[in-house]
Amino acid sequence: MVHLADSLTFSGRKVLAAWASLPFPALPGSSLPTTLSAHQQDVPWELLSSCREQKVSCCFAQSVVLRGVCREKPSSSPGQQQPWTSLHSESSKQVLQQYLHTHFPGAFSTAHVLQQPCDTQPPFPQFFSPLLTRQGFLQDKALAHSSAGPNRDVQSIPVLAALQAWPGLHQLLGGLCQDLGARHVRRCSSFFTAGLEHEDFQEALEELRTLAHSYETGGGGGGSEEEGDSD
């Protein structure tokens, strides 16, 4: 994990945001291009890190791993409309890579696709929606279990996880810096009992402030990358 973080952080950045889609929203038997074409406006994963800003519009660098999604290609039957043909590449990895380049132009992006899904049999927590099949794919509401409780029959799920050097981390790190700066550390005997000097604390606080500024962009944390980061 340390080496992965090092490969995604540059220009003074050291922190990554975690995102995940659990399960990845795919229909049974659907191809990866078809699934991704349904998410042309917003990416199909949610923020796990405790940031106020929840929407991702750009990033500096990212590593995305997808596992357990059907690898079949869309049908090419005459007269059948093809979904977003720009995603119809040679492999699932290329499809995901193209999707990342489309949503995050100029960002350094790596994509990995694994065929094996995530095993969710006990003791994995059984908190899944009745709308999921036993393989973790979305099904029609009319076919879902009528029980109001969690679905305990899910044996595996497709999963997407991502680590991003993301401009929204400016708010998280800046807020942490403000909270620490507002504390009167001289009144906290535990700080000095642990061997922390006041000068060391102030130096660490300044380093945190500098780290927060490294995630700023011209758009205030949500605009385009101005440093020309690319792969």
Side-chain angles (χ1 to χ4, degrees), residues 45 71 114 121 155 231:
W45 55 82
R71 302 182 66 179
L114 306 176
Q121 299 185 58
Q155 297 182 350
D231 57 348

Side-chain angles (χ1 to χ4, degrees), residues 36-228:
L36 292 177
S37 66
H39 299 276
Q40 299 184 37
Q41 301 300 322
D42 296 313
V43 293
W45 55 82
E46 301 292 334
L47 180 65
L48 301 181
S49 303
S50 56
C51 299
R52 296 178 183 177
E53 184 179 350
Q54 298 291 315
K55 188 173 182 179
V56 54
S57 57
C58 74
C59 71
F60 306 112
Q62 62 184 338
S63 177
V64 180
V65 178
L66 175 65
R67 56 186 298 181
V69 176
C70 180
R71 302 182 66 179
E72 69 177 82
K73 296 182 179 180
S75 172
S76 57
S77 300
Q80 184 175 357
Q81 185 176 3
Q82 295 295 325
W84 202 7
T85 55
S86 64
L87 288 179
H88 297 164
S89 303
E90 292 296 328
S91 67
S92 297
K93 180 179 180 179
Q94 291 175 329
V95 170
L96 180 58
Q97 192 79 51
Q98 176 63 32
Y99 180 80
L100 296 177
H101 283 317
T102 300
H103 279 267
F104 307 99
F108 173 79
S109 301
T110 63
H112 304 275
V113 177
L114 306 176
Q115 190 170 6
Q116 184 71 21
C118 178
D119 185 18
T120 57
Q121 299 185 58
F124 196 96
Q126 301 299 303
F127 50 69
F128 296 108
S129 166
L131 295 178
L132 295 182
T133 67
R134 299 184 68 182
Q135 288 72 41
F137 293 100
L138 296 173
Q139 60 180 332
D140 189 272
K141 293 183 179 180
L143 300 177
H145 300 288
S146 58
S147 174
N151 185 355
R152 302 184 183 277
D153 296 330
V154 179
Q155 297 182 350
S156 64
I157 55 172
V159 174
L160 183 144
L163 290 175
Q164 287 185 342
W166 173 54
L169 288 169
H170 168 68
Q171 294 183 358
L172 175 65
L173 297 172
L176 178 60
C177 189
Q178 291 180 358
D179 291 342
L180 291 173
R183 297 182 180 273
H184 299 285
V185 294
R186 294 187 183 276
R187 300 177 182 177
C188 301
S189 59
S190 59
F191 277 88
F192 303 102
T193 302
L196 176 67
E197 298 292 339
H198 185 265
E199 291 75 13
D200 295 335
F201 176 80
Q202 291 299 325
E203 182 179 351
L205 191 61
E206 184 60 32
E207 290 178 355
L208 179 60
R209 187 176 292 110
T210 301
L211 178 62
H213 287 325
S214 70
Y215 287 88
E216 282 187 301
T217 62
S224 60
E225 171 60 67
E226 294 187 344
E227 300 179 16

